[in-house]
């Protein structure tokens, strides 16, 4: 009996250690707090005032420049910290954890860089408050409830359905959240205020990708290619496939297999691959998670099926072309990819900075394009914070209003500029980067994505009148 | 059953025959993996009366070991370079299975043995805790992206009649047969007889001088080894085209209907149940799709094994090969 008790105690301790042992799981991270010249030249007097209004900054240059700073949640004028939340799938590797971990790494690198260069305003250091949501709506809701009063903004939220599950709370709290999803509803100003769009939405991405594939088919002499589509259920898959089906309708393309919403993680998805083979499609559009894509593609490949495959960005994982991957050769032949930000191999001031931060951090993360996405997400929140500080209002509502007054957000060339003002049609982003997978590039230290064309907008995507979300949630 | 369906398929022409042949070969390969998983689960259940919920985690751990040994440190291949690469990979896989078996042994000694005499429910809860711990550690080992196993068959396929079969599927089937024969032979050895005796009547076996603890340890070691074999083959093309990932651990739960259909305490039942579930799931996926069957909703192929299980339980409440329990009332 005594042995049993000791064992149970040891087991409980082991469980606690296992739960707490992750690198980034459920942690509050303080990004590097070393400030350089910009911050050093600023003498700050945190003159505590009434509950929400504080004199936060008094510069040595001009006392008249002192800013009356309104704050509420997540901004500590005495400690000079700004807390930013992340609701991230860090552990569900059957979903998107493989892609989200490098996104969070990218954010950490960038916030470290921001802090090392003086932080926000007169030396506010940004701290990350990361919670693992495992791509589960219940955990997402619980995590948001836990951190909503600790943070001023959320710089990452994994998943469309998961973010939609907290959309009403976000709107009520005037909280901005940068989603790592490209659901077209984020651009629709009526759907989820506060959930910030970035990059081309799934449905327009689908149109541009299929415009590209159709051109490739035409180059090969096939002027009437057929299309097969398949996806996960939920907003991610259905929004993307909605774009593909709208594209097919507007181009007069026959859809020979419609597997919209039929891919289900945790089940045998080989039958979808077989159905695609049976359809004999020339082009296949699949939007799903990388592991389930592997199942569908593997089943089709097994039966000797060859076609041009494409799908929403997160469907593809560079691990497909890793050195020991059994599908490395065929996927290089078959996959035509698109991405929302610029790949690792692109040239811009922003990309040079990311390369530098990556090296300085000593990172070995292979999914480099997702590090870039993390930086893009952080840049959006950074811009909102800087503008809110300049406005003297760093309440959540102040940050919210600051973001939605920016019409020319610049990403130093690592992503197309964004507009957060005006109507849905004014705000929509149509541009994507086209790439082909390349193992040589991956083995040489690149991201494995060789750029075919930057800032690409297909003719169908260009002509599409985007005034509302391509797919709306039922019920 | 399969031949009956083949006749039915032949009526639809060559295309229907090809479709049926591909579905059957795929179902058999899937069934072989389920059979391996079910075999390990049943072995542990027979010896200890405990359903091991950490089985999937052990499968993922075994697959990770194989990937690591074969693709990262090339062990023991680096010491036997004179052997063909296929042989080197098989040795890596064998070492991975062995290491996982040792992990099973250690788990039994540390986590299960101290619980002897405690309510079975508590022991089952311990296996759930072990599942969480092993999965967490394995996920950390695997890292952010799936790890390919570097197996020698890759995405190669061969034509067997009208069916296009992946070489990995042939390997899966062969290894399953080897494991089955191995288990059958093991039960004829002294330790195998002791295990059967312990499973039949633990107290009587102990009275005959059989160490129940040693038998439990052996069952866990063999069960974990079989889980590793299943984990390795479920992480290969075409089922998991990019290797072992965090999702591998959950694959084992799909084998649960197999052990219920076959009978919780039957080795033969585990194997038959595994193949039934594999075939039913695959046929349902291939044939119960499209507009005609849309009223069944999404994911019906995953439901079918449970429907079969329900029907079997209605007819034979202890499974196809399970031991009927007689109680005085």
């Amino acid at each position: 009996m005594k042995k049993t008790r000791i064992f149970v105690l040891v087991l409980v301790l082991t469980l606690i250690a296992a739960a707490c042992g992750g690198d980034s799981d459920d942690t509050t991270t303080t990004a590097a707090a070393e400030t350089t010249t910009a911050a050093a030249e600023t003498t700050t007097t945190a003159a505590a005032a009434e509950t929400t209004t504080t004199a936060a900054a008094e510069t040595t240059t001009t006392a008249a420049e002192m800013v009356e700073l309104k704050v509420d949640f997540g901004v500590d004028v005495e400690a000079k910290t700004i807390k930013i939340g992340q609701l991230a799938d860090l552990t569900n590797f059957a979903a998107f954890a493989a892609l989200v971990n490098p996104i969070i790494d990218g954010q950490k690198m960038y916030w470290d860089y921001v802090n090392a260069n003086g932080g926000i305003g007169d030396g506010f250091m940004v701290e990350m408050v990361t919670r693992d949501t495992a791509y589960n709506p219940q955990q997402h809701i619980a995590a948001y409830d836990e951190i909503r009063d600790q943070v001023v903004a959320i710089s990452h939220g994994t998943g469309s359905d998961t973010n939609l599950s907290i959309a009403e709370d976000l709107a009520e709290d005037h909280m901005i959240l940068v989603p790592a999803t490209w659901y077209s509803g984020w651009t629709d100003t009526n759907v989820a205020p506060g959930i910030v769009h970035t990059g081309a939405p799934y449905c327009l991405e689908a149109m541009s990708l299929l415009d590209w594939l159709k051109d490739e088919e035409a180059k090969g002499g096939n002027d009437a290619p057929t299309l097969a589509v398949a996806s996960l259920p939920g907003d991610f898959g259905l929004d993307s496939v909605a774009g593909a089906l709208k594209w097919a309708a507007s181009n007069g393309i026959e859809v020979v297999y419609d597997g919209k919403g039929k891919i289900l993680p945790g089940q045998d998805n080989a039958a979808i691959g077989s159905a695609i083979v049976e359809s004999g499609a020339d082009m296949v559009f699949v939007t799903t998670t990388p592991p389930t894509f592997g199942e569908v593609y593997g089943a089709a490949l097994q039966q000797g099926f060859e076609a041009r495959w494409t799908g929403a960005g997160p469907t593809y994982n560079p691990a497909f072309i890793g050195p020991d991957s059994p599908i490395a050769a065929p996927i290089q032949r078959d996959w035509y990819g698109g991405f929302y930000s610029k790949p690792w191999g692109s040239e811009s001031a922003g990309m040079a900075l990311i390369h530098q931060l990556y090296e300085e951090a000593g990172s070995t993360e292979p999914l480099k394009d997702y590090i870039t996405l993390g930086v893009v997400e952080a840049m959006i929140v950074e811009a909102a914070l800087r503008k809110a500080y300049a406005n003297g209002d760093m309440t959540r509502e102040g940050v919210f209003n600051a973001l939605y007054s920016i019409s020319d957000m610049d990403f130093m060339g690592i992503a197309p500029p964004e507009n957060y003002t005006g109507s849905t049609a004014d705000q929509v982003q149509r541009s994507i980067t086209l790439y082909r997978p390349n193992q040589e590039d991956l083995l040489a230290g690149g991201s494995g994505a060789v750029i075919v064309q930057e800032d690409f907008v297909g003719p169908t995507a260009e002509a599409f009148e985007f005034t509302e979300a391509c797919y709306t949630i039922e019920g | 059953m399969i031949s009956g369906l083949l006749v039915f398929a032949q009526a639809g022409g060559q295309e229907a025959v090809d479709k049926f042949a591909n579905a059957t070969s795929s179902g058999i390969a899937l069934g072989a993996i389920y059979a391996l998983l079910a075999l390990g689960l049943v072995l542990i259940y027979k010896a200890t009366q405990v359903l091991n919920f950490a089985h999937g985690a052990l499968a993922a751990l075994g697959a990770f070991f194989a990937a690591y040994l074969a693709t990262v440190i090339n062990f023991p291949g680096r010491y036997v370079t004179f052997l063909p690469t296929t042989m080197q990979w098989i040795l890596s896989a064998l070492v991975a299975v062995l290491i996982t078996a040792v992990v099973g042994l250690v788990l039994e000694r540390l986590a299960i043995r101290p619980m002897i005499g405690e309510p079975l429910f508590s022991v089952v809860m311990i296996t759930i805790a072990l599942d969480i711990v092993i999965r967490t550690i394995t996920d950390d080992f695997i890292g952010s992206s799936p790890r390919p196993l570097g197996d020698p068959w890759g995405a190669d396929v061969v034509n067997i009649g009208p069916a296009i079969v992946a070489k990995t599927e042939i390997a899966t089937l062969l290894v399953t047969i080897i494991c089955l024969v191995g288990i059958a032979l093991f039960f004829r050895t002294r330790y195998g007889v002791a295990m059967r005796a312990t499973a039949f009547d633990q107290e009587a076996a102990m009275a005959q001088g059989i160490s129940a603890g040693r038998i439990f340890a052996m069952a866990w070691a063999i069960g974990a080894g079989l889980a590793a074999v299943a984990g390795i083959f479920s992480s290969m093309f075409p089922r998991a085209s990019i290797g072992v990932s965090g999702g591998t651990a959950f694959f084992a739960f799909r084998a649960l209907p197999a052990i219920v259909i076959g009978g919780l305490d039957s080795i033969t039942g585990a194997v038959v149940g595994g193949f039934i579930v594999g075939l039913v799931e695959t046929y349902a996926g291939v044939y119960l799709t499209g507009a005609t069957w849309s009223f069944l909703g999404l994911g019906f192929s995953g439901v079918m094994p449970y429907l079969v299980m329900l029907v079997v339980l209605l007819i034979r409440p202890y499974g196809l090969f399970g031991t009927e329990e007689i109680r005085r009332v």
Side-chain angles (χ1 to χ4, degrees):
Chain A
M1 202 61 191
K2 195 178 168 190
K3 272 185 180 175
T4 308
R5 282 184 189 151
I6 292 169
F7 165 71
V8 171
L9 182 66
V10 169
L11 192 71
V12 168
L13 289 173
T14 312
L15 275 171
I16 293 168
C20 303
D23 289 340
S24 47
D25 185 2
D26 288 350
T27 53
T28 302
T29 311
T30 309
E34 190 184 319
T35 53
T36 52
T37 45
E41 286 168 13
T42 307
T43 309
T44 305
T45 312
E50 292 166 18
T51 47
T52 57
T53 308
T54 313
E58 183 189 316
T59 63
T60 49
T61 45
T62 328
E65 285 176 19
M66 196 170 96
V67 181
E68 283 293 315
L69 198 62
K70 278 175 73 183
V71 298
D72 51 13
F73 301 99
V75 179
D76 187 332
V77 290
E78 292 190 0
K80 304 282 292 201
T81 58
I82 299 171
K83 287 187 176 167
I84 304 294
Q86 294 82 36
L87 303 174
D89 170 13
L90 299 173
T91 53
N92 186 350
F93 289 94
F96 296 106
L99 311 180
V100 172
N101 278 288
I103 288 178
I104 299 300
D105 286 352
Q107 287 217 9
K108 180 154 184 354
M109 281 178 203
Y110 189 71
W111 288 125
D112 280 350
Y113 165 77
V114 169
N115 288 341
N117 287 279
I120 303 292
D122 64 330
F124 278 83
M125 297 293 118
V126 177
E127 293 181 0
M128 292 170 72
V129 181
T130 309
R131 293 291 179 270
D132 177 24
T133 63
Y135 195 52
N136 175 313
Q138 281 75 34
Q139 277 180 249
H140 205 81
I141 293 166
Y144 180 66
D145 279 344
E146 186 198 337
I147 67 167
R148 67 199 295 181
D149 291 342
Q150 297 174 30
V151 299
V152 68
I154 296 178
S155 61
H156 173 92
T158 308
S160 302
D161 297 331
T162 42
N163 285 326
L164 278 168
S165 67
I166 57 169
E168 282 183 17
D169 289 341
L170 290 167
E172 192 181 296
D173 293 346
H174 296 287
M175 181 86 83
I176 61 165
L177 176 148
V178 185
T181 83
W182 293 265
Y183 167 51
S184 60
W186 308 148
T187 310
D188 184 336
T189 51
N190 297 314
V191 171
I195 301 186
V196 185
H197 68 83
T198 166
Y202 292 129
C203 62
L204 292 185
E205 176 200 25
M207 291 177 193
S208 285
L209 286 169
L210 289 168
D211 279 331
W212 179 29
L213 259 63
K214 185 166 169 272
D215 271 359
E216 294 294 309
E217 285 291 323
K219 281 179 199 165
N222 183 3
D223 291 325
T226 53
L227 174 69
V229 299
S231 77
L232 289 175
D235 299 83
F236 169 49
L238 298 182
D239 191 50
S240 183
V241 166
L245 295 175
K246 283 175 196 288
W247 176 87
S250 87
N251 285 276
I253 297 293
E254 184 188 359
V255 178
V256 287
Y257 173 71
D258 186 352
K260 170 178 68 183
K262 288 189 176 168
I263 299 175
L264 298 174
Q267 295 209 6
D268 187 27
N269 290 299
I272 311 241
S274 301
I276 290 170
V277 174
E278 208 179 323
S279 75
D282 301 306
M283 306 182 295
V284 184
F285 186 89
V286 178
T287 289
T288 184
T289 62
T292 47
F293 175 79
E295 291 174 34
V296 174
Y297 181 71
L301 189 63
Q302 179 184 0
Q303 292 172 48
F305 181 70
E306 279 186 37
R308 288 189 165 85
W309 292 65
T310 189
T315 306
Y316 174 84
N317 182 329
F320 291 159
I321 54 166
D324 293 300
S325 168
I327 58 168
I331 202 79
Q332 288 178 88
R333 178 194 64 206
D334 295 341
W335 183 257
Y336 291 72
F339 214 62
Y340 315 98
S341 57
K342 304 291 173 70
W344 193 256
S346 63
E347 289 178 9
S348 64
M351 192 53 71
L353 172 65
I354 293 174
H355 281 236
Q356 180 198 325
L357 298 179
Y358 182 86
E359 280 165 26
E360 283 173 5
S363 177
T364 53
E365 172 54 59
L367 305 185
K368 299 183 174 80
D369 290 335
Y370 285 86
I371 286 179
T372 307
L373 273 182
V375 173
V376 170
E377 289 179 349
M379 280 178 159
I380 292 171
V381 173
E382 181 201 11
L385 291 174
R386 289 195 190 282
K387 185 141 193 188
Y389 179 84
N391 293 342
D393 184 355
M394 290 198 75
T395 61
R396 286 198 303 224
E397 192 170 359
V399 174
F400 182 99
N401 292 334
L403 179 83
Y404 286 107
S405 67
I406 299 173
S407 59
D408 55 349
M409 188 171 288
D410 177 64
F411 296 96
M412 297 167 70
I414 61 170
E418 296 285 355
N419 170 22
Y420 293 108
T421 62
S423 68
T424 298
D426 295 333
Q427 294 193 27
V428 70
Q429 175 65 258
R430 295 174 194 264
S431 170
I432 60 170
T433 300
L434 306 180
Y435 74 88
R436 296 298 312 275
N438 185 295
Q439 193 183 49
E440 271 178 40
D441 177 70
L442 187 75
L443 298 179
S447 66
V450 171
I451 299 165
V452 174
Q453 190 176 333
E454 292 185 34
D455 303 316
F456 176 78
V457 184
T460 312
E462 184 76 68
F464 184 74
E465 282 186 30
F466 187 90
T467 52
E468 59 180 3
C470 296
Y471 167 78
T472 45
I473 321 134
E474 292 165 10
Chain B
M1 182 184 82
I2 293 174
S3 56
L5 287 168
L6 180 59
V7 172
F8 182 72
Q10 278 168 339
Q14 188 56 41
E15 210 171 283
V17 171
D18 291 352
K19 184 176 177 178
F20 177 76
N22 283 320
T24 304
S25 66
S26 179
I28 289 172
L30 182 60
I33 297 171
Y34 286 157
L36 285 168
L37 287 164
L39 206 58
L41 283 165
V42 165
L43 211 68
I44 290 172
Y45 181 82
K46 263 176 87 78
T48 63
Q49 302 293 302
V50 171
L51 189 58
N52 176 20
F53 281 94
H55 209 65
L58 287 168
L61 186 67
F64 165 75
F65 284 142
Y68 186 78
L69 291 170
T71 66
V72 181
I73 60 172
N74 187 24
F75 180 86
R78 63 164 83 174
Y79 300 110
V80 286
T81 46
F82 55 89
L83 289 175
T85 48
T86 303
M87 228 21 240
Q88 290 181 26
W89 186 87
I90 290 171
L91 285 176
S92 295
L94 281 174
V95 173
V97 171
L98 204 67
I99 296 172
T100 315
V102 172
V103 171
L105 206 68
V106 171
L107 290 178
E108 191 282 330
R109 192 69 189 83
L110 292 179
I112 306 298
R113 189 84 63 90
M115 297 299 287
I116 287 179
E118 301 296 326
L120 286 177
F121 178 75
S122 307
V123 189
V124 171
M125 293 308 291
I126 294 284
T127 68
I128 292 174
L130 287 174
D131 172 64
I132 295 167
V133 173
I134 299 168
R135 256 194 302 117
T136 307
I137 293 168
T138 308
D139 284 352
D140 273 356
F141 283 164
I142 292 171
S144 59
S145 275
R147 282 177 181 262
L149 275 87
D151 61 273
W153 307 290
D156 295 348
V157 295
V158 289
N159 288 290
I160 301 177
I164 303 168
V165 184
K167 286 184 177 175
T168 53
E169 294 183 325
I170 297 170
T172 308
L173 198 59
L174 286 176
V175 169
T176 305
I177 292 168
I178 292 168
C179 289
L180 288 176
V181 172
I183 294 291
L185 291 176
F186 169 75
F187 278 126
R188 291 170 186 272
T189 65
R190 193 161 157 256
Y191 287 110
V193 172
M195 189 179 281
R196 283 158 66 192
T198 310
F200 187 71
D201 189 329
Q202 198 173 309
E203 284 182 14
M206 286 168 79
Q208 295 297 314
I210 295 170
S211 164
R214 189 174 291 173
I215 296 300
F216 287 2
M218 208 181 295
W220 268 80
I222 298 172
L226 287 169
V229 177
I232 289 168
F233 285 102
S234 67
S235 304
M236 284 181 184
F237 175 85
R239 213 147 293 288
S241 296
I242 39 176
V244 55
S245 68
T248 306
F250 298 103
F251 187 81
F253 291 107
R254 283 163 57 180
L256 287 179
I259 59 170
V260 181
I261 289 170
L264 268 173
D265 59 350
S266 168
I267 296 291
T268 314
V271 177
V272 173
F275 282 105
I276 289 175
V277 170
L279 283 165
V280 164
E281 199 175 317
T282 308
Y283 286 145
V286 170
Y287 290 105
L288 299 184
T289 53
T292 318
W293 300 96
S294 59
F295 68 92
L296 293 173
L298 295 172
F300 195 72
S301 64
V303 178
M304 272 303 281
Y306 289 91
L307 283 182
V308 173
M309 184 182 88
L310 204 66
V311 172
V312 168
L313 289 183
L314 285 172
I315 300 165
R316 291 183 64 89
Y318 299 100
L320 293 174
F321 298 89
T323 310
E324 191 169 344
E325 200 176 314
I326 299 165
R327 284 185 185 166
R328 290 181 189 280
V329 287

